[in-house]
Amino acid sequence: MWLCPALLLFSLPGCLSIIALKTVRGREQGSLTVQCHYTSGWQNYGKYWCRGPWKTCRTLVATTGSEQEVRKGRVSIRDDHKKQVFHVTMKELRQSDAGLYWCGIQKSGNDLWARVTVDIEPAGLHTSTSLLSQDMVSNQSGMRSGPHPRTHYMLLVFVKVPILLAVVGVVFWLKGPQGNPREQCEEPFYVNSSFSLLIQDTVPQKEG
């Protein structure tokens, strides 16, 4: 969004009338597009894309001042008069495409220009980086998922099972005989005859 205020400044007398990013990057075997913005009044002038030192740069592709797209080899250029920008696209990028380029506008006297440096990233480097990132994500996912079964087991043994037993005990207690609470407390409770005999043997007898 900074381009709009910049273009307003460039429209002032004595300022530059064309602007582009200083550096653009593309990946080998891929493509890139450079946007060259210019101020009002230059719509019908010829635009071009050249490579090398400014005074001796070699024009790769150029327009005749119209909005018709022009292609030459792997490079194309298209001017948009309404938006005041012309687009340069380079396809099937190679390592040898890296270097110094210029967005230019033809006019009498000295042309208008903006310097652009093109960097090309090796295709293999991008692939290796992607694979490394995927492997790191996979390892991190495995580390996060590893403790889950053990955590679930610990919760089951120390939390869920005691809660379940407590709930079952409350249910049975609520469903028990609804007699006199005092009588229920005084009435002995024996699970079976063996357990009853055991209680009688262990409880000390009162002396007469």
Side-chain angles (χ1 to χ4, degrees):
M1 299 300 295
W2 62 272
L3 290 176
C4 293
L7 288 176
L8 291 175
L9 291 175
F10 290 161
S11 64
L12 297 175
C15 294
L16 296 178
S17 298
I18 183 171
I19 184 173
L21 292 177
K22 291 184 178 181
T23 303
V24 293
R25 292 180 173 82
R27 184 165 58 90
E28 189 177 11
Q29 301 175 4
S31 63
L32 63 81
T33 298
V34 181
Q35 296 183 358
C36 306
H37 297 261
Y38 55 86
T39 55
S40 180
W42 302 105
Q43 285 87 337
N44 297 322
Y45 286 73
K47 318 298 191 305
Y48 60 89
W49 177 250
C50 68
R51 180 179 185 180
W54 170 243
K55 293 183 178 181
T56 59
C57 73
R58 178 171 61 91
T59 300
L60 302 179
V61 66
T63 72
T64 57
S66 69
E67 293 185 301
Q68 184 177 0
E69 184 180 42
V70 179
R71 294 179 178 272
K72 189 173 182 181
R74 297 181 293 112
V75 186
S76 64
I77 186 171
R78 181 178 60 83
D79 194 3
D80 188 334
H81 292 172
K82 184 177 181 180
K83 295 182 178 180
Q84 298 173 203
V85 58
F86 62 94
H87 305 265
V88 177
T89 301
M90 301 174 63
K91 297 182 178 180
E92 301 175 12
L93 295 172
R94 307 165 184 170
Q95 286 292 325
S96 58
D97 291 329
L100 177 62
Y101 293 80
W102 305 85
C103 295
I105 299 179
Q106 296 176 344
K107 71 178 189 64
S108 59
N110 295 327
D111 292 349
L112 303 176
W113 51 266
R115 175 174 174 168
V116 179
T117 300
V118 173
D119 290 339
I120 306 299
E121 176 184 322
L125 177 62
H126 180 80
T127 303
S128 300
T129 303
S130 300
L131 291 175
L132 179 60
S133 300
Q134 293 176 2
D135 184 59
M136 291 178 64
V137 170
S138 177
N139 289 338
Q140 292 175 358
S141 299
M143 292 175 64
R144 288 194 298 266
S145 62
H148 286 328
R150 179 177 297 178
T151 303
H152 179 73
Y153 176 77
M154 298 293 288
L155 289 174
L156 181 63
V157 173
F158 293 101
V159 179
K160 295 182 179 181
V161 171
I163 292 176
L164 180 60
L165 293 176
V167 171
V168 172
V170 171
V171 171
F172 276 103
W173 181 80
L174 293 175
K175 289 185 178 182
Q178 302 296 327
N180 190 327
R182 183 174 181 180
E183 293 178 356
Q184 292 181 11
C185 293
E186 293 177 354
E187 181 181 0
F189 176 77
Y190 302 107
V191 176
N192 52 45
S193 59
S194 299
F195 186 64
S196 176
L197 294 174
L198 178 61
I199 292 177
Q200 293 176 3
D201 291 340
T202 56
V203 175
Q205 300 296 326
K206 295 181 178 180
E207 295 182 357

